[in-house]
Amino acid sequence: MKKIHYLLFTLAGVAMLFTSCNQQGNKSSNGALSSSAAEKVYVAPGEHDEYYAFVSGGFSGQLSVYGLPSGRLFKVIPVFSQDAEKAWGYNEETKPMLNTSHGFVPWDDSHHPDISQTNGELDGRYVFINGNNTPRIAKIDLSTFETTEIIEVPNSAGNHSSSFVTENTEYVVAGTRFSVPVPQRDMPIKEYKGNFKGALTFISVAPEDGGMDIKFQLLMPGFDYDLSHPGRGASHGWFFFTTYNTEESHTLMEVNASQNDKDFIAAVNWKKIEEYVNNGGGTMMPSNYAHNVYDEHTHTATSTMKKEVLTVDPTKVPGAVYFLPTPKSPHGCDVDPSGEYIVGNGKLSADLTVHSFTKMLAAIENEKFDGEAYGIPILNFEDVLAGTVSQPGLGPLHTEFDGQGNAYTTFFISSEVVKWKLGTWEVVDRQPCYYSVGHLMIPGGNSRKPFGKYVLAMNKITKDRYLPTGPEVTQSAQLYDISGEKMELLLDFPTVGEPHYAAGIAADIVKQRSKKIFSLTDNKHKYATTSDADVRVERNGKEVHIYMTMIRSHFNPDNIEGVKVGDKVYFHVTNLEQDYDVPHGVSVIGANTSELLIMPGQTETFVWEPKQVGVWPFYCTDFCSALHQEMQGYIRVSPANSNIDLSW
Ligand code: RUQ
């Protein structure tokens, strides 16, 4: 019966989706967009955009940087996946960044970027982003737009409820999607119920240098933890996590995990737990995880394997965790700018449920509980309910806020963004999305002070919206103006990978932090060659180390002899430029480890293992000057048994 219900619901949704496709397709192709829409997204040549949008790449594993309102793509920042364009994960300096306890894992599924905050406002220092598949959290430094730290999350699987920051970036939080045996062990899957655990991981971020460290892991009952958001303002000190599969099923999930009328939002008082662990609470548990750090001065990453993690049993910290019943597999868990409202988007619910933080505190104070689950008190649904938005659409996923008292929720099945009012819960506007929207983003929408102005919808399907490119059409984002009472669609633009979620910030905040060059005198790379006097080639058994420099428009040395088949040749190349925006690239014929792309003042290394004798060219791969084509050299490779000495 249940199953049929769900099917009908889905079918109705699909039918709706197609109707809306057809109608809206006409609307846009007959020029329904106003010319003012074009004006609003037009950024004249040489002018800058007003906002940065950091859009995750989903299965591409990366983070793309766009300008808003233009939708122009500026950069793809490699995070969890190897990127040949920038040698990320190929050069010797960055390979350790992709180490995990499962070995070198050069791919992940990047989902939720979140920008660091001070006093609940975006400060533009870092972007954090989660890798879902081999659970990891990365930090991108917005002075260089480079990934500078990746920490693996042990005891987690499908790191989906991540990576959201508290309002002074005290913590970046990672919640597991799948519950698993903790610690991992060989056991029958059917013993899931009551035995698997869901780890919610609080990673501290050092105020001075942003260094990450796992402070503690809260080991929760074996539900699935879908998404999370920090409290802010009055609710600062709390963190909220949606759960589904409170049934604790392990098979046929689409049916079995949708039985309960209500799942929970878990409210976690992290300040209380922090105090508990600071006073010696918690249990150290053996767990392997990698912690990879890229050092700005040596331009080199190091990977350390950690062996244990501090775990906390929530029942040992009274008053730290409560469950708020929330209808039908809530997905998004979004807290409004004031910190009072906690919105739970029940995927299979007809209504949106909004909880009140004040009411929650009062219910806790009065100890009014509706039973417990694994020792964690369950609050009464009615006691904590602030209100419901009735039947706003089908398949609600995520909500963001404009700071003007309005909330915007995406509906996947009915494919639309719906605007509604906090406090009165009335729907005031709705706009179709093309098609099947997942997340949406208002710049600063996940902070105390949203910038408002635009909402970006990130769609899962595009169908007829772009020129066909074989069986798959580009994925896409859509920009709406939200400065008026009604939303106005301004722009579609294609994205890299799946535009899963995004974080947006006023450009001025980031612009002033952005670095122009790396100072050569500051280059502490182990193999740096900062002056031409130090250029050399050294042999150590079968290893050959080339200490090379590059500057417009030559390499030094540019002729190398004495290398033999079977050698392992290390090119350590330093870019001597001290001008903004003058990187050089280098590669050599047959090198299968990607090129190097070296920023001014930096050193990078690639390894070449020549297989054939000959005289082989190498050249600059990044067009750098009028004499770029002359920026080249030769390396001579002799037979393994030759007695030619190294020379350059
Ligand atoms: S969620 S499936 Cu961000 Cu709606 Cu990942």
Side-chain angles (χ1 to χ4, degrees), residues 2 179 190 192-195 221-225 243-264 326-330 347-348 373-374:
K2 261 267 159 54
S179 282
K190 64 174 173 5
Y192 179 129
K193 201 167 190 156
N195 290 315
F223 312 150
D224 290 39
Y225 296 83
T243 68
Y244 65 105
N245 192 24
T246 48
E247 297 82 354
E248 292 180 79
S249 307
H250 54 80
T251 181
L252 252 189
M253 299 293 285
E254 58 172 342
V255 180
N256 292 338
S258 309
Q259 302 295 311
N260 290 347
D261 187 46
K262 295 192 178 66
D263 296 283
F264 300 126
T326 307
K328 308 270 16 149
S329 303
K347 288 195 295 277
L348 304 176
Y374 294 104

Side-chain angles (χ1 to χ4, degrees), residues 111-112 132 160 227 331 397-398 438-439 500-501:
H111 270 213
H112 308 123
N132 251 341
H160 192 262
L227 277 146
H331 182 67
L397 291 183
H398 300 280
H439 277 272
H500 187 90
Y501 181 47

